[in-house]
């Protein structure tokens, strides 16, 4: 076993929206190879690590990543040559140093993350470890845990041509005793939602993460359809299945900071948004709300947290962008009580692992998440299990780019039989 890096090589591949992304291979002297590709968001937060795109309008509408690929094959490959892949922290620090900018905008966070993740895979292969085991070692957690999933059922926002104002309505299995049981429960809800849409003459075409895009006129109408779908599946809303919402409110914000609900024909200020969400929580079994307000609306976020934080999980995605300083501010100011964790918002594997630890120490929940533009890479499943993050959000139970991650969870469960986090992980779960 010689875990020194022999070579690093990247290429441009396509993601689930048919857009270019970076895939990297890290080869060790002992012949083991780790491969990883990076996803891409549609409703990206402005503080995210920088996704380097070529901006050549003649090629993939300006979305090519050939410069990021060249950065891996050139500068990064040279810097990593003969480095020990087991020294993941040093490698991640070296990549950050080499880039030299706060948001990895010179080399590209897509270039840096692909190499960071591929390094972990190569090290795991060399030591005959499963990836989640390698991640667990880096995270220093007691042991792996199977995460509670929140699963996309209905979509709007930037994931479905703005067919609804809020971006995603998700189902959380509340009674399942294992990940396999959880997946089965949600598969029933997803199928019932399709039948429900069909009966109502609503579209059954897929949104970006494999959910439905019924184009309903309001959040309440979408919540009604969630209730109906859960019941239609023979399950009890609030007991067997809870509801989560990703408002993705940053993408609703106008230049004056207010929130435009285009489908409802209303413009709300922060407090009116809070009122609307309080109404949802009062009338529906909503257990989690993500990005209920915009990424820089810290004052309103504080009020939202004191109003609803005792009753539901309030998750910061664009708000925190998996960034330790933004999370530290949230902790200091009692904003939100949960964090969405996206490795490509952060830029490196150990940076992402450390962010999870920072949140956990403060008592915030952590939800490891995929992006709306994904590849067949299932790294996110191992990341959630290995760090014992507790929750995972990886899209609906349709299309290979999302289903592959659920399948990886099922395989990991079979291999290690780690305890299933279950619904107890949710802070302040609301019961009806
Ligand atoms: P994104 O969406 O990947 O398009 O940012 C996912 C989310 O908002 O959680
Ligand atoms: Zn989100």
């Amino acid at each position: 076993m010689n875990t020194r890096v022999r070579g690093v090589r990247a290429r441009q591949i396509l993601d689930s929206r048919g857009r270019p992304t970076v895939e990297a291979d890290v080869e060790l002297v002992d012949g083991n190879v780790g491969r990883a590709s990076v996803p891409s968001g549609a409703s990206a937060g402005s503080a995210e690590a920088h996704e380097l795109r070529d901006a050549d309008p003649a090629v993939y509408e300006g979305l090519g990543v050939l410069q990021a690929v060249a950065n891996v094959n050139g500068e990064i490959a040279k810097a990593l040559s003969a480095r020990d892949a087991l020294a993941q922290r040093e490698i991640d620090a070296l990549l950050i140093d080499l880039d030299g900018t706060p948001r990895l905008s010179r080399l590209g966070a897509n270039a840096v993350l692909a190499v960071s993740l591929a390094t972990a895979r190569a090290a795991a292969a060399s030591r005959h470890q499963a990836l989640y085991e390698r991640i667990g070692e880096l995270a220093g957690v007691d042991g792996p845990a199977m995460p509670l999933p929140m699963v996309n059922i209905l979509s709007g926002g930037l994931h479905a041509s703005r067919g609804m104002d809020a971006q995603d309505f998700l189902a959380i299995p509340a009674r399942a005793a294992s990940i396999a049981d959880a997946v089965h429960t949600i598969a029933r809800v997803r199928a019932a939602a399709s039948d429900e849409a069909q009966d109502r003459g609503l579209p059954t075409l897929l949104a970006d993460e494999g959910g439905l895009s019924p184009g309903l006129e309001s959040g309440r109408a979408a919540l009604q359809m969630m209730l109906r779908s859960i019941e239609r599946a023979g399950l009890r809303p609030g007991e067997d299945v809870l509801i989560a919402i990703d408002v993705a409110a940053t993408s609703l914000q106008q230049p004056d900071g207010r929130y435009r609900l285009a489908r409802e024909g209303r413009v709300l200020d922060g407090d009116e948004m809070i009122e609307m969400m309080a109404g949802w929580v009062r009338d529906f079994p909503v257990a989690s709300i993500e990005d209920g307000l915009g990424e820089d609306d810290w004052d309103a976020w504080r009020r939202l947290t004191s109003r609803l934080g005792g009753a539901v999980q309030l998750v910061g995605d664009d708000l925190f962008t998996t960034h330790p300083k933004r999370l530290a501010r949230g902790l200091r100011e009692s904003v939100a009580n949960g964090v969405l964790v996206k490795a490509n918002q952060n830029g490196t594997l150990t940076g992402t692992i450390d962010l999870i630890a920072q949140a956990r120490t403060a008592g915030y929940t952590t939800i490891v998440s995929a992006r709306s533009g994904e590849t067949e890479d299932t790294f996110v499943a191992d990341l959630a299990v290995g760090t014992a993050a507790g929750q995972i959000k990886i899209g609906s139970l349709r299309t290979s780019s999302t289903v592959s991650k659920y399948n990886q969870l099922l395989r990991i469960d079979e291999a290690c039989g780690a305890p299933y986090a279950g619904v107890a992980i949710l802070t302040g779960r609301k019961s009806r």
Side-chain angles (χ1 to χ4, degrees):
M1 175 177 109
N2 186 332
T3 50
R4 298 209 168 264
V5 174
R6 192 212 310 267
V8 182
R9 181 155 195 86
R11 64 193 63 85
Q12 174 171 288
I13 62 166
L14 296 185
D15 72 13
S16 53
R17 281 191 279 247
R19 297 175 184 164
T21 190
V22 181
E23 177 175 85
D25 298 345
V26 170
E27 185 185 359
L28 308 184
V29 172
D30 64 16
N32 284 292
V33 181
R35 169 173 292 171
S37 55
V38 298
S40 175
S43 60
S46 55
E48 295 193 12
H50 183 75
E51 194 175 70
L52 190 63
R53 300 271 182 194
D54 297 333
D56 173 355
V59 182
Y60 286 109
E61 300 175 45
L63 297 174
V65 292
L66 295 176
Q67 186 56 52
V69 165
N71 292 342
V72 174
N73 292 338
E75 266 189 76
I76 291 178
K78 191 157 166 248
L80 257 57
S81 177
R83 299 273 170 174
D84 187 355
L86 289 178
Q88 181 80 42
R89 277 186 187 279
E90 283 83 64
I91 285 185
D92 287 349
L94 185 150
L95 290 167
I96 289 168
D97 275 359
L98 186 66
D99 177 87
T101 70
R103 293 175 56 227
L104 303 176
S105 47
R106 194 178 72 79
L107 297 171
N110 38 0
V112 168
L113 182 67
V115 172
S116 177
L117 301 182
T119 300
R121 271 222 176 90
S126 181
R127 299 172 78 206
H128 304 287
Q129 276 178 316
L131 180 59
Y132 71 85
E133 290 174 321
R134 173 69 186 140
I135 292 169
E137 207 170 66
L138 293 168
V141 295
D142 290 343
M146 301 308 297
L148 173 75
M150 55 169 76
V151 184
N152 187 308
I153 305 293
L154 309 178
S155 281
L158 296 177
H159 292 172
S161 311
R162 290 195 185 272
M164 303 194 291
D165 294 322
Q167 182 176 275
D168 299 298
F169 293 84
L170 308 96
I172 301 175
R175 285 281 164 106
S178 68
I179 188 71
D181 206 8
V183 167
H184 181 225
T185 301
I186 300 305
R188 290 167 63 187
V189 177
R190 179 64 180 75
S194 280
D195 294 345
E196 183 68 15
Q198 193 138 23
D199 285 0
R200 294 202 210 171
L202 298 169
T204 53
L205 300 174
L206 303 186
D208 281 353
E209 292 183 294
L212 293 162
S213 172
L216 298 169
E217 66 285 2
S218 67
R220 295 188 85 85
L223 288 165
Q224 286 291 359
M225 180 161 172
M226 289 293 293
L227 278 192
R228 202 42 223 119
S229 303
I230 295 164
E231 283 163 356
R232 190 170 177 143
L235 297 160
R236 292 162 300 180
E239 289 177 45
D240 300 315
V241 181
L242 301 168
I243 297 173
I245 304 167
D246 183 1
V247 181
T250 305
S251 57
L252 303 175
Q253 267 183 309
Q254 311 185 129
D256 68 1
R258 293 190 303 156
Y259 300 85
R260 180 159 178 265
L261 304 180
R263 290 283 285 132
E264 292 192 38
R266 295 196 289 160
V267 177
L268 305 185
D269 65 18
D271 287 315
E272 290 164 331
M273 287 288 284
I274 294 169
E275 275 313 311
M276 178 178 73
M277 291 184 268
W280 292 346
V281 171
R282 183 186 64 232
D283 298 335
F284 298 92
V286 172
S288 178
I289 301 177
E290 176 180 332
D291 281 353
L293 294 163
E295 62 189 2
D296 287 315
D297 204 350
W298 292 90
D299 289 340
W301 259 106
R302 259 194 305 277
R303 294 195 294 280
L304 170 67
T305 309
S306 66
R307 176 85 183 269
L308 293 180
V312 292
Q313 175 174 257
L314 296 172
V315 183
D317 170 13
D318 293 349
L319 178 72
F320 295 138
T321 55
T322 318
H323 194 292
K325 287 208 177 110
R326 290 188 69 95
L327 176 58
R329 176 168 181 192
L331 301 178
R332 224 171 30 241
E333 300 184 14
S334 293
V335 161
N337 56 30
V339 191
L340 207 74
V341 178
K342 292 169 167 169
N344 81 325
Q345 289 181 332
N346 180 284
T348 68
L349 175 58
T350 52
T352 305
I353 286 173
D354 291 348
L355 192 288
I356 293 173
Q358 181 187 1
R360 178 181 288 133
T361 305
Y364 276 35
T365 54
T366 52
I367 303 136
V368 170
S369 174
R371 301 308 301 254
S372 54
E374 272 289 335
T375 71
E376 62 273 31
D377 194 323
T378 58
F379 200 106
V380 67
D382 286 77
L383 181 62
V385 176
T387 57
Q391 294 177 68
I392 194 165
K393 179 183 155 195
I394 43 181
S396 205
L397 295 167
R398 292 290 188 283
T399 82
S400 300
S401 59
T402 56
V403 170
S404 55
K405 281 112 175 135
Y406 290 101
N407 290 343
Q408 176 69 356
L409 289 175
L410 296 173
R411 278 181 217 112
I412 296 174
D413 190 37
E414 180 192 349
C416 76
Y420 173 61
V423 79
I425 203 83
L426 281 174
T427 47
R429 174 169 97 70
K430 183 174 175 273
S431 56
R432 289 209 306 184

